[in-house]
Amino acid sequence: MPVPVSAFDVKPWTRPAETTESLDWAPLKTIDLSVFDQPGGKEKLADDLRDSAKNVGFWVVTGHGIPDDEVLRQLSIANTFFHLPLEEKKKYPCDFSTGDYFGYREPTRTIGSTNVKENMEMLNIPKYTTNDDYKDIPKHDIIKAYEDEIADFHRKLFENVAAKLFVLLALILELPEDYLLNAHAYDRKSEDHLRYMIYHPRTLEERKAVNDGRGGGHTDFGSLTLLFSQNVAGLQIRTPSGEWKYVKPVPGGITVNSADVLQFLTKGYIKSTIHRVVGPPHDQSSIERLGLLYFVRPNDDVPIVPVPSPVLDREGLLTEEDKKAQQHPEKAPTGYAWTRARVENAHNRAKLSVSYEDTSEKDRVFDFKGLAVPTRWD
Ligand SMILES: O=C(O)CCC(=O)C(=O)O
Ligand SMILES: [Fe+2]
């Protein structure tokens, strides 16, 4: 039975002001997707994107055609959700024992040897495919109440942004244009999700005790992460020289990063860059940091083997073993197996580390059947 919308009063949420502090911002390239369909547009954009995908792992997308009022509407629903009673939010938790990331993640874990807990909550919403593959995943009443607009936004975000980026990345790799898109098709099953996220302010003492989030450096698990610009500073990326730089919000922009699976598929040609979220600057230290993201994962049945790209060949990135693996994709871990294992490894634990030193040797790298990523940085 549809849940009446009137049961939830979604008040319009507006963005807080940007910080006035001058932070060390990362110089990220902007990819204006509005020229994608013009003659020569894709080729130009692929040229624009090449260096960022290869050497930075982060860039900003504009011209995506998603009106800001739709973005603010999603953020308003998210904000309403996070301010519901905990009992309501806890009805459908993520099941980390099986690496299942769909549902609500409650901030229950402590950081290092402190008794300070995580300060972030999230809700991960699966795809609305034409086959309704995720219809049996239980959803909170507020999500059911606004399901039509959430579903429209979910698909639109994938089609307007992720799908086009997969075409550009395929062009960069000199693969057929639809090669990567086919491995991430919206209407096939995958662990993709739209994420509502909120970080709660911490006291200065708490910030000190947990190293202000500096131990939370990580790479993302899937293929691409789309992050709507939000004004509370805190997201930092680690540059190749090991410096941390802040990601600056771009009005109307979406910050995108490439993640582990694209790094595996391209033998490191596309980078999965380390990033973290630290405490906000002084003038934003008492405001909540609300976020809206989309995590693109490979389709469940996609074998994680290097793509047959002439670029990888020319760059000497493909070993004899890789070429053998390409001949026997049935032996490789699937997108589903990798994603579930990575989420289980990262989250099925009672404590989060506060720093690299605080992390045991075996926890510094996650290796799933030869797919290996470092897991901790600061
Ligand atoms: O909140 C952000 O700015 C980024 C969060 C993030 O890195 C993640 O959820 O993987
Ligand atoms: Fe991340």
Side-chain angles (χ1 to χ4, degrees), residues 122 195 197 199 218 220 227 230 235 275 277 289 293 295:
M122 64 170 77
R195 177 178 298 175
M197 201 167 185
Y199 291 76
H218 65 277
D220 287 349
L227 166 84
Q230 57 79 47
L235 177 60
H275 56 282
V277 177
R289 183 174 184 276
L293 301 89
F295 288 79

Short mmCIF file of all heavy atoms in Angstrom, two decimals, residues 122 195 197 199 218 220 227 230 235 275 277 289 293 295, ligand 1:
data_model
loop_
_atom_site.label_atom_id
_atom_site.label_comp_id
_atom_site.label_asym_id
_atom_site.label_seq_id
_atom_site.Cartn_x
_atom_site.Cartn_y
_atom_site.Cartn_z
N MET A 122 24.26 7.11 7.31
CA MET A 122 23.92 7.08 5.88
C MET A 122 22.74 6.16 5.61
O MET A 122 22.43 5.26 6.40
CB MET A 122 25.13 6.64 5.04
CG MET A 122 25.60 5.25 5.30
SD MET A 122 26.81 4.69 4.08
CE MET A 122 28.30 5.51 4.57
N ARG A 195 23.05 7.55 -2.16
CA ARG A 195 23.32 7.64 -0.72
C ARG A 195 22.95 9.00 -0.16
O ARG A 195 23.37 10.03 -0.66
CB ARG A 195 24.81 7.37 -0.44
CG ARG A 195 25.15 7.54 1.04
CD ARG A 195 26.60 7.22 1.33
NE ARG A 195 26.90 5.83 1.00
CZ ARG A 195 28.12 5.31 1.06
NH1 ARG A 195 29.15 6.07 1.43
NH2 ARG A 195 28.34 4.05 0.75
N MET A 197 23.55 11.11 3.26
CA MET A 197 24.63 11.02 4.26
C MET A 197 24.61 12.25 5.15
O MET A 197 24.29 13.35 4.67
CB MET A 197 25.93 10.96 3.47
CG MET A 197 27.11 10.39 4.17
SD MET A 197 28.36 10.10 2.89
CE MET A 197 29.58 9.30 3.89
N TYR A 199 26.99 14.14 8.43
CA TYR A 199 28.03 14.16 9.46
C TYR A 199 27.58 15.14 10.54
O TYR A 199 27.19 16.27 10.22
CB TYR A 199 29.37 14.67 8.90
CG TYR A 199 30.05 13.75 7.92
CD1 TYR A 199 29.59 13.65 6.60
CD2 TYR A 199 31.17 13.01 8.29
CE1 TYR A 199 30.23 12.83 5.69
CE2 TYR A 199 31.81 12.18 7.37
CZ TYR A 199 31.33 12.10 6.07
OH TYR A 199 31.96 11.28 5.17
N HIS A 218 40.78 6.55 2.43
CA HIS A 218 40.35 5.30 1.78
C HIS A 218 40.17 5.54 0.28
O HIS A 218 40.10 6.68 -0.17
CB HIS A 218 39.00 4.84 2.37
CG HIS A 218 37.88 5.80 2.09
ND1 HIS A 218 37.64 6.92 2.85
CD2 HIS A 218 36.95 5.83 1.10
CE1 HIS A 218 36.62 7.59 2.35
NE2 HIS A 218 36.17 6.95 1.28
N ASP A 220 37.42 4.38 -2.87
CA ASP A 220 36.06 3.86 -2.97
C ASP A 220 36.07 2.49 -3.65
O ASP A 220 36.98 2.16 -4.39
CB ASP A 220 35.15 4.86 -3.68
CG ASP A 220 34.85 6.07 -2.78
OD1 ASP A 220 35.16 6.03 -1.57
OD2 ASP A 220 34.29 7.06 -3.31
N LEU A 227 29.39 12.86 -6.33
CA LEU A 227 29.15 13.55 -5.06
C LEU A 227 28.68 14.96 -5.34
O LEU A 227 29.43 15.77 -5.89
CB LEU A 227 30.48 13.57 -4.30
CG LEU A 227 30.64 14.48 -3.10
CD1 LEU A 227 30.09 13.79 -1.86
CD2 LEU A 227 32.09 14.81 -2.87
N GLN A 230 28.59 20.07 -1.84
CA GLN A 230 27.91 20.59 -0.64
C GLN A 230 28.94 21.47 0.06
O GLN A 230 30.14 21.27 -0.07
CB GLN A 230 27.30 19.47 0.18
CG GLN A 230 28.24 18.39 0.64
CD GLN A 230 29.04 18.82 1.81
OE1 GLN A 230 28.51 19.37 2.76
NE2 GLN A 230 30.34 18.62 1.74
N LEU A 235 36.14 17.29 2.74
CA LEU A 235 36.67 16.24 1.84
C LEU A 235 38.05 16.65 1.35
O LEU A 235 38.24 17.76 0.86
CB LEU A 235 35.71 16.05 0.67
CG LEU A 235 36.14 15.04 -0.40
CD1 LEU A 235 36.32 13.64 0.16
CD2 LEU A 235 35.12 15.00 -1.55
N HIS A 275 41.12 9.38 -0.44
CA HIS A 275 40.50 10.60 0.07
C HIS A 275 39.99 10.34 1.48
O HIS A 275 39.95 9.20 1.94
CB HIS A 275 39.39 11.05 -0.88
CG HIS A 275 38.34 10.01 -1.13
ND1 HIS A 275 38.53 8.95 -2.00
CD2 HIS A 275 37.10 9.84 -0.61
CE1 HIS A 275 37.45 8.19 -2.01
NE2 HIS A 275 36.57 8.70 -1.16
N VAL A 277 37.51 12.44 4.94
CA VAL A 277 36.74 13.60 5.37
C VAL A 277 37.24 14.01 6.75
O VAL A 277 37.18 13.22 7.69
CB VAL A 277 35.22 13.28 5.41
CG1 VAL A 277 34.44 14.48 5.94
CG2 VAL A 277 34.72 12.92 4.00
N ARG A 289 26.74 18.34 8.21
CA ARG A 289 27.25 18.25 6.84
C ARG A 289 26.42 17.18 6.12
O ARG A 289 26.66 15.98 6.26
CB ARG A 289 28.73 17.86 6.90
CG ARG A 289 29.43 17.80 5.56
CD ARG A 289 30.92 17.56 5.81
NE ARG A 289 31.67 17.57 4.57
CZ ARG A 289 31.80 16.51 3.77
NH1 ARG A 289 31.22 15.37 4.07
NH2 ARG A 289 32.50 16.61 2.66
N LEU A 293 25.08 11.40 -2.65
CA LEU A 293 26.09 10.74 -3.48
C LEU A 293 25.46 9.59 -4.26
O LEU A 293 24.40 9.09 -3.89
CB LEU A 293 27.22 10.15 -2.62
CG LEU A 293 28.02 11.10 -1.73
CD1 LEU A 293 27.37 11.22 -0.35
CD2 LEU A 293 29.46 10.62 -1.57
N PHE A 295 26.91 5.85 -5.77
CA PHE A 295 28.05 4.93 -5.91
C PHE A 295 27.76 3.95 -7.05
O PHE A 295 26.79 3.19 -6.97
CB PHE A 295 28.29 4.18 -4.60
CG PHE A 295 28.88 5.08 -3.54
CD1 PHE A 295 28.08 5.95 -2.82
CD2 PHE A 295 30.24 5.08 -3.29
CE1 PHE A 295 28.61 6.80 -1.86
CE2 PHE A 295 30.80 5.93 -2.34
CZ PHE A 295 29.98 6.79 -1.62
O1 LIG B 1 31.24 12.98 2.35
C1 LIG B 1 32.13 13.09 1.50
O2 LIG B 1 32.48 14.21 1.10
C2 LIG B 1 32.81 11.87 0.94
C3 LIG B 1 32.42 10.61 1.64
C4 LIG B 1 33.21 9.42 1.18
O3 LIG B 1 34.37 9.50 0.86
C5 LIG B 1 32.58 8.10 1.10
O4 LIG B 1 31.46 7.92 1.60
O5 LIG B 1 33.17 7.18 0.50
#
